[in-house]
Every structure is written in C-alpha cells, then in structure tokens.
Amino acid sequence: MDGDGTRDARGTHANPVPRPAGPPQVPAKPAEAPAVPPRPTRAPGTSDGSAFLTWLRTPRPQALPGVWRFGHRPRPEEEPERVPGRQLLSGAVIAFLVGWLVWSLLWNGYLGGWWLLPLYAMIPDSWAEPHSFASVVVVYAYYVLIAGIIMVAVGRLGRWGEIWRRYGPPAWRRAAAPGGPPPAPEEDPAAWPALRAAGAHDAAERLAAEARSGLMRDVDHARIARAWQGVQRGRHSLATFTGAVLSEGAGACPHPSGARDLPVRQARHDLVTGQVRIGTAADDARNPYAYRGAGLALGPELLGTSLLAVGPAGSGKTGSVVRPLTESLCLHALAGRAAVVVVGAAGADLGPADAYDVVVRIGNPDSVYDLDLYGGTTDPDEAALVLAEALVGDLAEQHQGGDSRRSTTVLAQLLGPFRAVHGRFPGVPELRQLLEGAPGPLAELREGLRAGGHDSLLRELDARERQLDRPGDVGGVLADRVALLDRPAFAPFFDTSGQSRPFSLKALDHPVRVRIDLPQRGHADASRMLARLVLAQFTASVSVREDRSLFACLVLDDASGVVTPEAVRGVQRLRSAGAGVVLTLRTLDDVPRPLRGPLLGAIGCRMALSGLTPWDGQDFAEVWGKEWTEARDVTDRQIIAETPAGKAVHMLRRVITGKAPTARAVTVRQVERERWSASELAHAVPAGHAVLSLTSVKGEHAPPLLVDLRG
C-alpha cells in the first residue's frame, strides 16, 4: 500500500499452493477425482478497493497555503489559553478532596441538620416510620441529589470537563482515523456524480465498479478526471470519452507511455489535491498556531510561482525536496496534468530511469536521445537569442542589452545564412569554425548564398566578416564557449544532420517526463552552459504554448552559474504561462550580487535549509521583511510569607503550580521585528529542518515556517 492510502494492483497470489505434509500414500482403492476449485473473483495479485475508496472519500477541507489537506483538521488562528497539565490535574484532585470534605462534614452532622430541612418539608409524616421502604428510597435519593450538586460544583471548580476533553475518550476519538458510513451517491466521489449529471451513467457505473473491485489507482482516477475536464471544455466529445471508458475501464485515456504508475514511490502523494508532502510544520512559537503540527505540502498552485531552495551540501535539498517534487510531477504527467523536465548531474538521486519517458545522458555514448542545441525552432533569430543566453548569459551586463544583444546579433549573422544554404543549423564543430572566422567555411557559405540568390543574407555575412578583425568582437568569446562543447566526449551529441534522436523542449505541449543528465565530472563549465541552455529554451517554449492548463515545470538540481539577468526576467513571466521552475543552490554566492534581490523577488516560494551562512541568511531576512509583534516584559518578585498560615498557603501554591509564589508585573508593547533574523537562520534551524515561505498563483501568502523535512 502506498503512503497515500492507495494499493498497488501488483502483488503476490492470495492463495498459494500448499505443500504436502509428507510423502504421498498409495490409496487402497481409486480415489475420486478432485473437485474443481472455485473460480477466483478477481485477478491474482489484486485486492478489493476498500483501501482506494477510503483514500478517495477521506475529507480534504480547504486550508491555508501549503497545508497537507488529506484528512486535515483545521485549527483556530490564535492559540487558546491552555492550563498546564500539572496545574490542571492538581486542581482537579484538590477540588475532589474539597467536595469529599464537605460531604463528610454534612454526613457526620458537623455542619448541623439544616441541609435536611427540604427533605422533611416535602415528605409526609406517614413515610417517616422506621424501616419504611418509601422513606428509605426518598432519603437516599435526596442524599444522591445533594452529593450530585456538590460534585457538579467542585467539578466546575476543578475543570473536570477540560480533563475529560483533553485525556478522555473525546481525545481518543480525535486521534483515531476518520471513518463513518459511505456518503450518498450524489456526494460520493467514487460514484462519479459529475458523469451521472451529464448523462454518462454507463461510464460512471463502469468506473465505480472498477474502484470497488480494486482495479483503479490514484493515477487512474486523476487521469480520467483530467480527460473529463477536456470533455467539459469541448476538446473531446462525450461519445468518445464514454466509449473509451466502457472499453478500457480504469485504463481509459492512457498516457502515451502506457504506464499507470511509477516504478517506486518514496513520498506521500495526494493526486486529488495534487499535493506532495515534504514535511511537518514544527510546533514552534515562531510558527503561526494554525500551522503548528500540520503537514506541509507543495503542488502546482504553489510551484507555479517557482521555488528556490538554498542550503549546503548534505542539508537535504535533493532527497527531501527535489526527489519528492520530481515524483509528484511525474505522477501528474501520467495523469495528463503536467510536463516535467529534470536536470541534474549523472548519478543524482532523481528517481529511476523507468520513471521518465525521455532520458538524455549527455556525454554518455549509450544515451538513446540527444539534446537539440537550438530548441527545435526554425527561426534563426530565436535560435540565436537562446544560444547566446546559454553561451555568454553569465557574462552579460546586468541591464537590458549589453553583451547578450551583441552576441545574439553575431550568432544570427551566421545561423541565418547557414540555414538558407544547408537547410539546417550548424553543428558544434561547424559553428565553432564560423565564429573563429575560418576562411574555408566562410567562403563556402558565401558561394552558396550567391548561388541561391540570398542577397540580404549575403550582406549579413559581409557584416560579420568586417567585424572579425575589430577589437572587442564577441565572436572570439562565443567561439571559446562553443569550444567547451567541441570535445571528444560530446562528439555524438548536438547533431543537426538528422542522424540522431534529438529532444526538443517544444514537446512540452504534451504530458512528457524528461530527465537530462549533465556530465559535471570533468566538464563543469560545459554542464553549467547546458543548464543555462535548457532554462533559456524552457522559458522560451512555455510562453508560446496553446494549452496552458498543462502545468510545465523545470527542475534544476544545481542552479550554480545558471542565474542570469535574462533568466530572472524569464522566471518572472512563467506564472502567467502556467509554468514554474525549481532551483537549488548551495549558497547565494553562486548568484551575482546584483541579481540576488531580483531573483528572490521573482521567486514565490523560498526555502532556507539548515547550515545556511549568516550572509545568505541576511538576504532571506531582507526579503521576508519584518512584522509587528507584541512584546511582553514580565517582572517577577517573590512574595515572602511572614506568618505560619501564609507559609502554608505558599507551600500549597508551590505544590499545585510547581512554582514559588510571585507578584508579577507585565508590560505589553508593540514592536517591529524581523520574521527570521540572519543569526536565527544560520544558527537556530535544526538539522533536517528548513524555513519555508510560500506564495500561490492566486496571491495567497504563507509566512516563513519552520518545517521538519523528516516528518
């Protein structure tokens, strides 16, 4: 069973064949033929759908941003005043003893007989005879009434009701798993009421039967619900949808890969809300009371504002943040809701290769797929813009223009003529020769332009040749950067002749799962350049998609050297394009100082993991700002008793409260303080924890929360 309550249909047989107890005995007479065993009610390895139905029917109330909604019980905004347990139990015991003392004094007549006057006034004289049954019943009923009044009074005084709610069966019922009778068919999500309301009763019955029999999983439910949304929006016909469901059941509307689940899951997922649980909000005074103890989860509504996680090596960025997010996004892709591209070093813990549709292993000769250097575009200007960002984006000036614009112009002057002559863009060796100004390739390109009558492109090539010998020409810098890719390890890659299977980020119009492994060992500069290339192609591709309801996400396991001025501007445009990025950094020093503020401002979800430096903590403290808090200055002065009675009272107070009797003076004032200071972020975040602030695509905010990533 998965962590979210669903059960995998793959498993062992329910009825294994028993072994004989000993050697077979030769029967004395022919035995009768064994009876044929009954036909199994379901396929081997499957189970009934009770676990799936329980998971599907679990309430998911609306909650604050980032709260794990599966089975969540909302808490009040403000923390109620809670009496300490020791004081509460001590007061209850003392109240009981006081009630017992009062009853003893009444019963033994030490307080007189006045409390019996109502009894004598109500009963007749004939009942007062000795050994009268009526008198015995009435008298003892009166005793019970008086004792009950005393117990109610001392119970209110000793707060017995609060003890019952805190430690009694009500607390046990709250701790138990939610349960109850199944909901009505018009409210039961397993009965597909939306399909019934639209007239697709047969399809709804088929899906409900699949759920009850254990043939449906959470991915199937999410995928079919996504297909039904397409019917409601007019992209598919109701007849086509109904026919697919009646034919395939829970396997209808499949993902192009045919997969219905991931090979393995490590995190808890809830595909009804689209969330993945990454931890638990710590029970800390710095966290709002409504968040304390609640599960923390991320989903497309939060990742649409992008996520930045900063922490040193070993702080849990990959295992606690990136891996759960990649699992969730891959599940969303199988459900037809998302397209995901994961970029990381070869060998990183980003899930098995079977969890992805396309795996690009750059520098590995066994890689089945190649990476399109030009992003699948046929426009030379667009290709030049993306390629210039990848090659020299980290060298560009921090304002609009600068070296990035000049580099784009230089590349466009070469890519346009080359495509006009050869019908394709140049490969890495060819591009390097053109940027270096090799006479042979330029002369050959010139002849081809003349033969084809491309006069305008010929003028572009002439302008490039005139700039070759000028000081400050960026062509040499571009050639040096291209030389990082013109290595023997990359010789089979970035092919433009059509002999390989290049992957292009133009495919993000479909629910695809892509993993790109970068060769960081021995090729660190080339890996950073390729990461910039993927980010530039991603931001350029998602902004021109037609179906923006398909969430697109790029996960960069290490964004060192990737953040550039153009990258920051691209991230700012992703929210309106139905996309987001997940970036991880070991330190903010990997980002140029002028870009740290804009980057933190463009990212909606920010995470500072344990082990952060005070300098990085200062940047987070500034972006999280300050808040008005209530500062309470408490002055305690011990009270010294002078009399024996006073000393006895003080001793009793010490037994009840556990503290010495004091006179307290409280001064309350409003002050403005940082939500998290740089020192607290550097030294007060425990190992395995992080401070996380969230922003949804709707503009809802969650303040910085201390999160236990191990919970």
Side-chain angles (χ1 to χ4, degrees):
M1 183 183 295
D2 294 329
D4 55 5
T6 60
R7 185 181 297 273
D8 197 303
R10 297 167 295 181
T12 58
H13 293 282
N15 300 314
V17 179
R19 294 179 179 271
Q25 302 292 332
V26 179
K29 58 181 180 179
E32 298 180 358
V36 178
R39 183 176 181 179
T41 58
R42 54 182 180 269
T46 62
S47 60
D48 60 18
S50 59
F52 173 78
L53 294 177
T54 301
W55 168 82
L56 186 60
R57 292 166 177 167
T58 300
R60 297 167 174 85
Q62 293 296 326
L64 297 171
V67 172
W68 174 253
R69 293 172 51 191
F70 180 80
H72 173 64
R73 296 183 180 90
R75 304 179 68 179
E77 293 292 336
E78 299 293 336
E79 181 178 7
E81 294 186 3
R82 186 179 178 92
V83 180
R86 176 178 176 178
Q87 181 177 347
L88 185 64
L89 295 176
S90 301
V93 171
I94 293 175
F96 174 76
L97 295 177
V98 170
W100 191 4
L101 175 63
V102 172
W103 174 253
S104 298
L105 294 176
L106 293 176
W107 182 263
N108 293 297
Y110 289 103
L111 299 181
W114 56 268
W115 62 286
L116 296 175
L117 294 179
L119 175 64
Y120 297 148
M122 290 185 296
I123 63 175
D125 295 337
S126 61
W127 287 11
E129 298 177 1
H131 307 293
S132 172
F133 178 78
S135 63
V136 171
V137 170
V138 172
V139 168
Y140 277 96
Y142 183 76
Y143 293 161
V144 170
L145 175 62
I146 297 300
I149 294 175
I150 295 175
M151 296 302 292
V152 169
V154 299
R156 289 182 175 274
L157 181 64
R159 300 182 179 181
W160 292 359
E162 186 173 349
I163 294 178
W164 176 264
R165 291 188 297 271
R166 187 182 299 186
Y167 304 108
W172 307 341
R173 288 195 295 268
R174 287 196 299 268
E186 61 274 7
E187 299 178 357
D188 186 5
W192 298 87
L195 273 66
R196 299 179 187 274
H201 295 279
D202 295 339
E205 289 293 340
R206 175 66 187 276
L207 294 176
E210 298 272 302
R212 290 191 298 269
S213 61
L215 299 178
M216 181 176 289
R217 310 172 186 175
D218 55 349
V219 178
D220 300 328
H221 182 273
R223 187 184 64 252
I224 296 174
R226 168 73 178 180
W228 175 248
Q229 292 177 0
V231 174
Q232 292 178 319
R233 295 173 182 174
R235 296 177 181 173
H236 313 291
S237 64
L238 179 60
T240 303
F241 173 82
T242 304
V245 170
L246 294 178
S247 175
E248 303 294 336
C253 312
H255 186 264
S257 66
R260 296 172 60 183
D261 203 349
L262 296 180
V264 64
R265 299 190 190 185
Q266 291 187 356
R268 293 188 62 187
H269 304 272
D270 183 20
L271 291 181
V272 174
T273 60
Q275 293 180 314
V276 54
R277 181 163 179 163
I278 63 170
T280 304
D283 190 5
D284 189 89
R286 287 167 292 196
N287 285 346
Y289 181 73
Y291 277 97
R292 296 179 195 172
L296 261 293
L298 298 175
E301 74 283 353
L302 295 174
L303 296 179
T305 63
S306 300
L307 170 67
L308 173 65
V310 182
S315 59
K317 298 187 299 298
T318 302
S320 301
V321 180
V322 175
R323 177 65 186 273
L325 291 179
T326 55
E327 278 188 10
S328 176
L329 293 170
C330 287
L331 290 174
H332 281 288
L334 291 179
R337 295 175 175 177
V340 56
V341 179
V342 182
V343 182
D349 184 20
L350 300 176
D354 296 342
Y356 299 91
D357 304 315
V358 176
V359 180
V360 183
R361 296 185 174 95
I362 300 177
N364 189 338
D366 297 332
S367 179
V368 178
Y369 290 91
D370 191 4
L371 181 64
D372 192 338
L373 195 63
Y374 302 98
T377 183
T378 58
D379 184 5
D381 294 330
E382 181 180 351
L385 179 63
V386 174
L387 190 57
E389 168 65 15
L391 295 177
V392 295
D394 56 332
L395 303 178
E397 298 178 7
Q398 308 308 325
H399 56 79
Q400 182 70 27
D403 291 340
S404 180
R405 179 179 297 177
R406 295 169 57 193
S407 302
T408 302
T409 303
V410 170
L411 289 172
Q413 290 173 342
L414 296 174
L415 297 181
F418 192 95
R419 180 171 180 79
V421 173
H422 299 280
R424 60 179 177 86
F425 288 123
V428 171
E430 297 168 326
L431 180 60
R432 180 182 180 183
Q433 291 178 352
L434 293 175
L435 289 171
E436 290 176 346
L442 288 176
E444 181 183 353
L445 191 58
R446 179 182 298 276
E447 291 298 328
L449 292 174
R450 287 176 178 173
H454 301 288
D455 296 335
S456 60
L457 296 177
L458 189 59
R459 290 193 296 270
E460 290 285 323
L461 187 60
D462 292 338
R464 174 85 283 270
E465 290 182 344
R466 289 193 300 268
Q467 295 171 1
L468 284 174
D469 299 330
R470 293 183 178 180
D473 180 40
V474 298
V477 178
L478 292 171
D480 293 339
R481 289 300 179 92
V482 173
L484 296 175
L485 302 179
D486 191 15
R487 306 299 300 164
F490 305 139
F493 292 87
F494 316 118
D495 180 69
T496 59
S497 61
Q499 299 179 0
S500 63
R501 301 177 62 183
F503 168 75
S504 169
L505 269 72
K506 293 290 185 181
L508 295 181
D509 285 333
H510 309 284
V512 63
R513 302 167 295 167
V514 184
R515 174 174 173 175
I516 302 176
D517 290 343
L518 301 179
Q520 290 190 350
R521 179 176 298 179
H523 302 279
D525 292 336
S527 297
R528 286 192 290 268
M529 189 164 56
L530 292 173
R532 288 196 300 270
L533 176 66
V534 175
L535 178 57
Q537 292 182 359
F538 178 82
T539 55
S541 300
V542 297
S543 60
V544 296
R545 294 183 306 159
E546 294 183 0
D547 184 11
R548 297 191 175 184
S549 64
L550 183 71
F551 179 69
C553 188
L554 172 65
V555 181
L556 283 172
D557 188 37
D558 185 5
S560 301
V562 176
V563 180
T564 64
E566 186 59 34
V568 173
R569 286 189 286 269
V571 170
Q572 292 173 341
R573 297 190 295 265
L574 292 180
R575 184 183 303 190
S576 60
V581 296
V582 177
L583 308 176
T584 66
L585 292 170
R586 294 185 180 91
T587 173
L588 288 176
D589 289 337
D590 294 332
V591 179
R593 167 57 66 180
L595 292 179
R596 296 180 193 177
L599 175 64
L600 292 173
I603 297 290
C605 303
R606 313 172 189 96
M607 177 181 289
L609 288 92
S610 61
L612 211 66
T613 64
W615 297 273
D616 290 344
Q618 183 62 38
D619 292 324
F620 278 101
E622 290 179 359
V623 74
W624 281 330
K626 300 180 180 181
E627 63 177 348
W628 287 99
T629 60
E630 187 179 83
R632 301 171 63 91
D633 297 331
V634 181
T635 303
D636 288 337
R637 180 178 59 84
Q638 184 175 358
I639 303 175
I640 300 176
E642 301 292 343
T643 62
K647 293 180 180 180
V649 172
H650 286 186
M651 182 178 298
L652 181 61
R653 289 183 59 181
R654 183 188 294 271
V655 170
I656 296 175
T657 63
K659 300 178 181 179
T662 58
R664 173 173 297 182
V666 180
T667 303
V668 180
R669 53 194 177 92
Q670 295 289 329
V671 296
E672 190 177 19
R673 293 179 178 174
E674 291 180 328
R675 299 177 184 270
W676 279 84
S677 66
S679 178
E680 289 176 331
L681 290 172
H683 306 293
V685 179
H689 290 64
V691 180
L692 172 65
S693 66
L694 301 170
T695 303
S696 70
V697 293
K698 297 180 180 179
E700 299 173 331
H701 295 272
L705 306 170
L706 181 62
V707 182
D708 185 0
L709 299 178
R710 303 166 300 183

